[in-house]
Structures are given as structure tokens and as C-alpha cells.
Amino acid sequence: MTILVTGGAGFIGSNFVLDWLAGCDEPVVNIDKLTYAGNLENLASLQGDARHVFVKADIGDYDVVLDLLKNRHVRAVVNFAAESHVDRSIHGPEDFIQTNILGSFRLLEAVRCYWNGLADAEKQAFRLLHVSTDEVYGSLEKTDPPFSESNQYQPNSPYSASKAASDHLVRSYHHTYGLPVLTTNCSNNYGPYHFPEKLIPLCIQNALTGKALPIYGDGQQIRDWLYVKDHCSAIRRVLAEGQVGQVYNVGGWNEKANLDVVHTLCGMLDELQPRADGKPYAEQITYVTDRPGHDRRYAIDATKLERELGWKPAETFETGIRKTVQWYLEHQDWVNNVLSGDYQSWLDKNYAGRDA
Ligand code: NAD
Ligand code: TYD
């Protein structure tokens, strides 16, 4: 048997592929368009490993996807491929519509065609797991209960709106065509191979290179943080045991204000790699103009996943952040390779207009 992973050269997808092949020998076909966020270096340890087949392709390429599904006799698809950065969606929503909505739609069509042609037993066993985000539920007030699977969808950014659309399409393909789908909605991930445009890796790197640590607005926005390997274990559990057609929220029970996250990072760097001048990294914290439409709080209620499938995160925020900071300190080559010309122009676009 074989699984097909999309977006497996990105942050979560590459962690998933690496963990999957560390845990079993079932081959992975990995489709990735290699946008700015896709990086084959994440998968360098799999070079020459026949269990991993990489194909540079767009999930919206119906013919390529259908051929791969047929030729590789795929028994499950895990869909990570997406445009994933809220700030980029504000500067240019088009790519988000193309990949997250149209790309997901074409992927669903290819999967539906393949699935229709399977023998009954294979049809029953087949799964499409769609990886989504808690951001589709919108923003919570301070005292609201965390998001459960029955929360209304209220996406507020072009990113979350495009993910919401893909979630709805996935749901409809189950309801209408009987496609055996599963959806996971996860909170903010962090860990190895996280692209340094996102808060945690950006602040680690800016701290180490003496740059400002940009805090949007008052820094009191709350996110629920989950170590990426815990997200991957949740996906494996849902894929193996999830009930077809169901949605599972995935979270780390780690609600933190952004400013507290950055202070935690600074404290850890003070301990592991103190500044040459002996001053605390927190001195580099700088308040900048807020993100337009910035959601105030996300929080995930992951009790369904624990109750029904027995999943719990293995890491606390403290253990996960320590592993993450250590990983970045030990993988400065990886970071430096990512900091290409494209990355620089993104920083100019996103931060130049924000007053310090
Ligand atoms: P990422 O941006 O790091 O990686 C996305 C990957 O998808 C990249 O390798 C990119 O090249 C690839 N890709 C983009 N468009 C494609 C296309 N049209 N065809 C094929 N490949 C394409 O994203 P991530 O953080 O790894 O997120 C993966 C998934 O998990 C996304 O669907 C995202 O919405 C979801 N998610 C992310 C988080 C988070 O905190 N990062 C939290 C919850 C859910
Ligand atoms: P981010 O990592 O972009 O993830 P998301 O927007 O999907 O939650 O941002 C996490 C939080 O950190 C979010 O509230 C925005 C904030 N943030 C900053 O304060 N400064 C920054 O430079 C970035 C990139 C994010």
C-alpha cells in the first residue's frame, strides 16, 4: 500500500513524511509544487530511500494527480498543500484562492474519479484526510470557550476564508458522493523546518542576528500552540482510526499571548546562546503596526480527539519550545539557505510599512 501526501516539502508536511517513514515502511508519494515555502532540504535524509517518491506538481493538476493515484495504487491521501501565511494572504490573496480553493477542488475531483474506480473493499478502506486550521472558526473573546467541532465558521482573513472554503468542499464530497473523508482543524504549530516568516522562527532568527523582534499591535493576541510532531501523531491517529466524515480539532492546550511567547523564546536564547554583550534578547522586542483584521484569540478544545481516539500531545509548550530553539541553533545552515532573495523581498514588503 502507498499513501499520497501533498505539500510534503513544507513545514508540517515534511515533518509528517519524516515521522511516517521513521515509524513504518509504507511508501509515500509526495506531491509538492515547491513554492517559496517548499524546501526539499527538509527531506534530505530521505535521499536514496525508495520508500519516498517526490513529484514536483500542483495539486490542481488533475491529470498528474490521477495518474499518480492509479499508478501507485494509493490507499490514502493526506492533503497539506496550501498557501499558509496570513500576512501573505493580506498582501496578495490570489494564490490562496488558486491553491486552497481551486487546487483543493481539483484534487478532490481526481480523488473522486480514482475512488470510483476502486473495488468495493478498497473503496471502503480508502481515506482522504484534509489538514485544516482553527482559524476557520474566527476570533474568540477572552472569556469564550475554546473552539469545538460544532463552532460556526467565521473566517476573517483571506487565508482562513480560503481554508474554510476547502473544508466545505471536502465535507460536500462526503455528503454528496460518499467520498471517505476526514478533516482535522489544528491550532498554531511550531518546531523544526518552520519557515522563518512565522512568529516563532522569525523571532529566533531575528534575535540571533541582532534584529528587531516585531510584535504586532499590543502583543496580547492569543494563540494555542502545538509542537509539530504532536500534530503529525494526531493526523496519523485520525487517519488510522477516525470516523469517516468526521471533523477532529487538534490542539495543545497551550494558550499563550504573543508577547509571552516571544519572552519565552528570549529567555531560552539567553540561556542557550547568550548575546555577546551579555544583555537580554528581550531588549530587541519592538512594537509595530498591527496586522489588519488581526484575530484576537484562538483556542482549541481537543477533547473529542482525546475521548474518541485517545490522542493527547506529548509535549508541553516548555519542552516543545526548548526542542525548537535547540533545533534552530543546530541548523543555522538550513535557515541561511532559506534566507534567499525572495525571502528578503518578503521582509521588505511586510515590515517596511510598519512604524516601529
Ligand atoms: P507551508 O506553507 O510550510 O507548506 C505548504 C507546502 O505546500 C509547501 O511545501 C508548498 O510548496 C506546497 N504547496 C503550495 N501550493 C501548492 C500547490 N498548489 N500544489 C502543491 N503543493 C503546494 O505550510 P504548513 O505550515 O506546513 O501547513 C500545512 C497545512 O497545514 C496547510 O494546509 C495549513 O493550512 C495547515 N495548518 C497549518 C498550521 C500552522 O501552524 N502552520 C496550523 C494548522 C493547519
Ligand atoms: P503567525 O506565525 O503568522 O501565525 P498565524 O497568523 O497563523 O496565527 O503569527 C502568530 C501570531 O504572531 C499572530 O497573532 C501574529 C503575530 N505576529 C507578530 O506579532 N509579529 C510577526 O512578525 C509575525 C510574523 C506574527
Side-chain angles (χ1 to χ4, degrees), residues 7 9-13 32-35 37-38 57-59 80-82 84 99 131-133 159 163 186-189 198:
F11 164 46
I12 307 173
D32 197 296
K33 187 181 172 182
L34 296 181
T35 66
D58 193 314
I59 52 164
F80 292 96
S84 70
T99 285
V131 180
S132 192
T133 167
Y159 163 64
K163 289 297 291 186
C186 188
S187 57
N188 283 56
N189 284 213
K198 305 276 171 74

Side-chain angles (χ1 to χ4, degrees), residues 15-30:
N15 274 286
F16 181 83
V17 171
L18 292 171
D19 287 1
W20 181 271
L21 292 174
C24 76
D25 282 330
E26 184 175 6
V28 175
V29 178
N30 182 353

Side-chain angles (χ1 to χ4, degrees), residues 24-281:
C24 76
D25 282 330
E26 184 175 6
V28 175
V29 178
N30 182 353
I31 300 185
D32 197 296
K33 187 181 172 182
L34 296 181
T35 66
Y36 77 93
N39 186 352
L40 285 178
E41 229 186 298
N42 303 3
L43 302 162
S45 61
L46 296 177
Q47 237 171 20
D49 189 329
R51 299 172 305 162
H52 177 240
V53 176
F54 181 79
V55 181
K56 183 177 184 305
D58 193 314
I59 52 164
D61 194 332
Y62 177 92
D63 293 333
V64 169
V65 175
L66 185 56
D67 274 358
L68 282 169
L69 289 166
K70 286 180 177 164
N71 295 339
R72 299 280 168 177
H73 205 138
V74 168
R75 64 121 183 143
V77 174
V78 185
N79 182 30
F80 292 96
E83 290 292 338
S84 70
H85 190 34
V86 173
D87 291 321
R88 286 190 192 248
S89 84
I90 295 168
H91 285 280
E94 174 88 29
D95 288 346
F96 290 74
I97 308 306
Q98 284 301 337
T99 285
N100 300 359
I101 304 182
L102 284 172
S104 298
F105 159 67
R106 296 207 176 99
L107 174 73
L108 280 163
E109 279 289 273
V111 171
R112 179 165 79 93
C113 175
Y114 169 68
W115 179 74
N116 272 330
L118 292 175
D120 277 352
E122 288 177 332
K123 245 178 145 171
Q124 288 248 331
F126 186 85
R127 297 287 182 271
L128 167 75
L129 190 152
H130 176 63
V131 180
S132 192
T133 167
D134 60 357
E135 304 194 24
V136 296
Y137 297 122
S139 186
L140 294 168
E141 299 294 333
K142 222 175 190 155
T143 53
D144 285 342
F147 301 128
S148 79
E149 289 80 359
S150 58
N151 264 69
Q152 201 185 339
Y153 270 37
Q154 291 187 323
N156 290 321
S157 71
Y159 163 64
S160 55
S162 65
K163 289 297 291 186
S166 65
D167 293 9
H168 291 322
L169 283 169
V170 168
R171 178 190 156 88
S172 77
Y173 271 60
H174 174 63
H175 196 78
T176 306
Y177 304 114
L179 196 69
V181 305
L182 298 154
T183 300
T184 53
N185 291 87
C186 188
S187 57
N188 283 56
N189 284 213
Y190 64 97
Y193 303 115
H194 205 181
F195 194 81
E197 65 184 352
K198 305 276 171 74
L199 179 70
I200 288 180
L202 179 100
C203 284
I204 296 173
Q205 209 48 34
N206 281 13
L208 293 174
T209 49
K211 297 190 184 126
L213 312 181
I215 303 288
Y216 295 168
D218 63 2
Q220 293 309 311
Q221 304 82 4
I222 291 170
R223 299 291 181 264
D224 169 80
W225 293 95
L226 181 69
Y227 190 60
V228 64
K229 289 183 181 297
D230 279 328
H231 187 189
C232 295
S233 77
I235 291 170
R236 290 197 302 275
R237 185 72 58 89
V238 172
L239 185 62
E241 293 167 33
Q243 214 186 318
V244 163
Q246 290 290 307
V247 173
Y248 297 90
N249 281 357
V250 188
W253 304 105
N254 282 312
E255 281 187 60
K256 306 271 177 207
N258 292 339
L259 192 58
D260 294 338
V261 169
V262 175
H263 272 292
T264 303
L265 289 174
C266 289
M268 209 146 279
L269 285 169
D270 288 338
E271 178 197 327
L272 296 172
Q273 187 149 314
R275 267 171 50 159
D277 61 6
K279 291 187 175 163
Y281 283 101

